[in-house]
Amino acid sequence: MPAPRAQDAARRPRPRPQGSPQRSRPPSRRPSSGRGRPPSGRRPAPPRRPVPRRRTPGALRHWGRRLAVLVGTTLALTLLAAFPQPPTEAGQLPQPAAATSAAGTTATTLADATTRYRAALAEATDAEARARQAHAAGAAASALVTGDRATVGDYADTLYRRSADERWPLAQLSLHTPAGTADVLHAQGLAEQLSRAQDVRVAHAAAAAVRAAEHTDAARAAESAAAAARAEAATVLAGARELVAGLDPTVAAQWAALATDPTSTAQQARNTAALADWQGYLGLLSAAGITPPPAAELADTGALPDGLAPLRDAAGTPIAGVATTFTAGRVVTVLPAETVAAVSAAFAQLGRPYLVDATGFDGFSCAGLVSTAWTQAGVGLPADLAAQWSRGTPVPVGQLQVGDLVFSTDPRSGLDDVGLYLGGTSVLSASADRWQVAVRDVADLRTAVRVTVPPSAPTPPPVAATGTPATCSAPLPPPGAASGPVSGAWGGWSNGQIPRDELCTIGDGHRLRCDAAAAYNAMSAAYAAAFGSPLCITDSYRSLSAQVDAHHRKPKITAVPGTSNHGWALAVDLCGGVNVFGTAQTAWMQGNAGQYGWVHPDWAAAGGQNPEPWHWEYGSLT
């Protein structure tokens, strides 16, 4: 086995241990000059072969030291593999291939479960709506039946009280009184008309009764379908909880590191640090052989699983929903399996764009991210801030734990934002002020709930809603709108003055706002599947100086400097066929770009004020 650091040894001479064999050195090769050739008929003497010699104790000591180094290194590497390793520059935690594969499988399985759960809920909601409609229609039909039956009953009662002459007017006809014939016939006609009317009433009541029965049957069928759909949703959630209950912390750590969407340099550092903390915690659990228990086993602080003790706040009060244990010389908080899965699922969405009312997986609103993360963990949460608040138990600041839902409030909308607590002042959320799923700081942590501990009684939100929609901390600009040089319109930066480190790359030196970059990359991948190559791009973010230069060169077709959407990092100019109207590439963009939030503004359309097939802007999903 070669000695360590062979390159260093080659650079400097080293004394050879006594008795060690000499090594022959190959003859050095020099460029032929025509003068160094040996005389004709003479051959160079062959190199001397080394004489084998017996190894001395000094050589044994030399190789013994090498073996000790090798064994020590192997042992150190073996021990290090059992503990979390520092993340790479991309925020990934190196793990065995088996853990990486299991993480991908877990993420795919639980994402599919979330989709099936929501589909079942939608089916149940639709069936319940049909049942309500059928009940209402059946009640209306029953009311008609009741009215018609009352009218027919009144007629029967009146008819019963009439005399025989009133019942059968024709019996009054007489040859002796021909003058009264007309009156008799008129009375008979009235009686027959009334009888026919009552027959119609009777038939109408019978038909209404049939309709009422049909509506009742339809309502029962819809209620049965709704119950079956809700049972299916419950089964899906139970399956998700069963999966996460046995989730190895190492797999959860790899799941958390699956995010691939771009983000700015500063935000990447923030995200990476938070991810490293989370993976470090999971690595500690893994090294101690701890598998987080289900939330149901941590709800009662007086009946925790063996080996776990209650976690207490500064006042000594036990905290429901979590526990502690002692391992590796320290006290470690043990979170429920559902919390570990929810936080890992949320980390795996880092960089996904913020989209109003979206629940994934192309983008999220603040409530949508929380709903998706916890549903993947087997805890079905709706994508509604008020409903999410009502599903949890309020938590004071001194008892906050990782995974708790931290809300922000606004006097106009009440509950306005939500994210998953990570410790300190860090929250993982899909807030509009970051334009993507990201780790952010929240100063006010007083409004929080723990969804793994269901409330014993509903708790009203701390701020009453006024009917104004939640904005997830910041309103979105209108899609495709030309923004003027307004200070602080995005991230505190003016048009064309956004630092490059705040933007995300999309290749070839081009940069966009990070949510736009994520959507662009997804669109470019779909385009490549259709045409064999990604989108061709010539321009993206344009600084103010670049806008000035472009406007100087092309004043008729460029925006006034400081007003271009290129200056907000929300526009691209494309090539490769998209730059010409009527091509297959342009047709593809017109038919598919909207799915990724990219729009072709009216002014750039073929019949617009300034036709530019190449110019596309990022707005919102259509």
Side-chain angles (χ1 to χ4, degrees):
M1 177 178 295
R5 303 185 62 85
Q7 292 181 353
D8 291 345
R11 295 192 186 103
R12 62 179 183 270
R14 186 174 57 185
R16 188 169 60 251
Q18 183 180 4
S20 62
Q22 298 179 353
R23 297 184 180 180
S24 60
R25 302 182 62 182
S28 59
R29 298 185 179 181
R30 301 178 181 177
S32 175
S33 63
R35 291 179 296 179
R37 186 177 303 170
S40 176
R42 298 180 60 184
R43 296 181 180 178
R48 297 178 60 186
R49 299 179 62 182
V51 179
R53 297 182 182 179
R54 186 177 60 182
R55 296 184 182 275
T56 65
L60 292 177
R61 288 194 299 271
H62 176 72
W63 284 103
R65 287 193 297 270
R66 293 182 178 182
L67 183 60
V69 171
L70 176 62
V71 172
T73 303
T74 303
L75 179 60
L77 291 175
T78 303
L79 292 175
L80 285 174
F83 292 89
Q85 301 177 37
T88 64
E89 294 182 359
Q92 305 294 323
L93 183 70
Q95 292 287 352
T100 303
S101 176
T105 301
T106 299
T108 300
T109 301
L110 293 176
D112 177 68
T114 299
T115 300
R116 291 189 290 116
Y117 169 76
R118 287 174 173 164
L121 282 188
E123 182 180 348
T125 301
D126 182 65
E128 289 165 351
R130 295 198 309 271
R132 289 192 297 269
Q133 294 173 352
H135 276 303
S142 296
L144 289 176
V145 171
T146 301
D148 289 340
R149 285 177 176 174
T151 301
V152 172
D154 291 342
Y155 170 74
D157 181 67
T158 301
L159 185 63
Y160 177 77
R161 296 176 184 278
R162 287 180 178 178
S163 63
D165 291 343
E166 291 175 330
R167 294 180 184 180
W168 300 287
L170 289 178
Q172 302 178 41
L173 288 176
S174 174
L175 295 174
H176 302 289
T177 56
T181 300
D183 293 336
V184 171
L185 293 176
H186 179 67
Q188 179 65 30
L190 290 176
E192 291 176 356
Q193 183 179 4
L194 182 60
S195 178
R196 287 194 297 270
Q198 296 311 307
D199 290 342
V200 171
R201 287 279 186 176
V202 171
H204 191 269
V210 171
R211 289 197 302 272
E214 291 174 344
H215 289 311
T216 299
D217 291 343
R220 289 174 179 170
E223 288 172 343
S224 178
R230 290 201 175 274
E232 171 64 17
T235 299
V236 172
L237 275 187
R241 287 194 300 272
E242 183 178 359
L243 175 59
V244 303
L247 188 63
D248 189 286
T250 302
V251 176
Q254 284 297 92
W255 182 12
L258 291 178
T260 58
D261 289 287
T263 188
S264 65
T265 302
Q267 187 63 59
Q268 178 65 44
R270 186 77 175 86
N271 293 349
T272 300
L275 176 61
D277 289 343
W278 176 243
Q279 291 182 316
Y281 166 74
L282 296 177
L284 188 61
L285 295 182
S286 178
I290 299 173
T291 298
E297 297 182 9
L298 301 180
D300 185 356
T301 57
L304 296 174
D306 293 341
L308 299 182
L311 176 65
R312 301 178 183 274
D313 63 11
T317 304
I319 301 175
V322 292
T324 61
T325 190
F326 188 82
T327 181
R330 57 181 292 186
V331 175
V332 178
T333 299
V334 179
L335 298 170
E338 292 89 338
T339 300
V340 170
V343 174
S344 297
F347 266 114
Q349 308 307 323
L350 281 173
R352 293 292 171 89
Y354 165 81
L355 298 173
V356 178
D357 296 331
T359 57
F361 286 91
D362 293 329
F364 300 90
S365 67
C366 52
L369 174 68
V370 167
S371 170
T372 297
W374 276 101
T375 301
Q376 287 184 295
V379 181
L381 284 185
D384 174 78
L385 291 172
Q388 290 175 356
W389 169 270
S390 67
R391 292 286 298 273
T393 297
V395 181
V397 174
Q399 295 188 4
L400 274 174
Q401 296 297 314
V402 173
D404 289 343
L405 305 190
V406 175
F407 293 83
S408 298
T409 60
D410 186 276
R412 298 166 299 175
S413 58
L415 295 174
D416 188 71
D417 199 355
V418 67
L420 281 75
Y421 183 65
L422 299 179
T425 59
S426 296
V427 170
L428 177 56
S429 69
S431 299
D433 62 347
R434 292 295 186 277
W435 300 98
Q436 61 180 167
V437 178
V439 178
R440 61 198 292 263
D441 288 322
V442 176
D444 188 354
L445 302 172
R446 294 174 296 176
T447 309
V449 297
R450 182 167 300 146
V451 296
T452 54
V453 181
S456 55
T459 303
V463 179
T466 61
T468 303
T471 64
C472 292
S473 292
L476 283 170
S483 303
V486 180
S487 177
W490 181 78
W493 307 102
S494 299
N495 187 297
Q497 299 185 32
I498 304 173
R500 289 176 60 83
D501 285 349
E502 294 293 326
L503 303 175
C504 289
T505 179
I506 55 175
D508 296 330
H510 292 286
R511 291 177 178 265
L512 291 172
R513 202 174 69 185
C514 291
D515 54 336
Y520 177 89
N521 288 338
M523 179 174 65
S524 182
Y527 180 91
F531 294 98
S533 60
L535 285 168
C536 172
I537 183 171
T538 61
D539 201 4
S540 53
Y541 171 65
R542 194 179 294 166
S543 67
L544 185 61
S545 60
Q547 293 180 54
V548 171
D549 176 69
H551 191 64
H552 176 73
R553 292 183 290 104
K554 307 172 183 178
K556 294 183 178 181
I557 62 172
T558 55
V560 175
T563 67
S564 171
N565 270 356
H566 283 287
W568 294 120
L570 291 175
V572 294
D573 290 343
L574 303 177
C575 49
V578 183
N579 54 326
V580 180
F581 286 115
T583 63
Q585 291 83 353
T586 298
W588 188 94
M589 287 292 294
Q590 292 170 344
N592 296 279
Q595 300 177 29
Y596 303 93
W598 286 87
V599 297
H600 194 220
D602 293 339
W603 60 263
Q609 180 182 3
N610 188 23
E612 292 184 1
W614 57 83
H615 183 89
W616 291 78
E617 299 178 352
Y618 182 71
S620 62
L621 290 181
T622 57

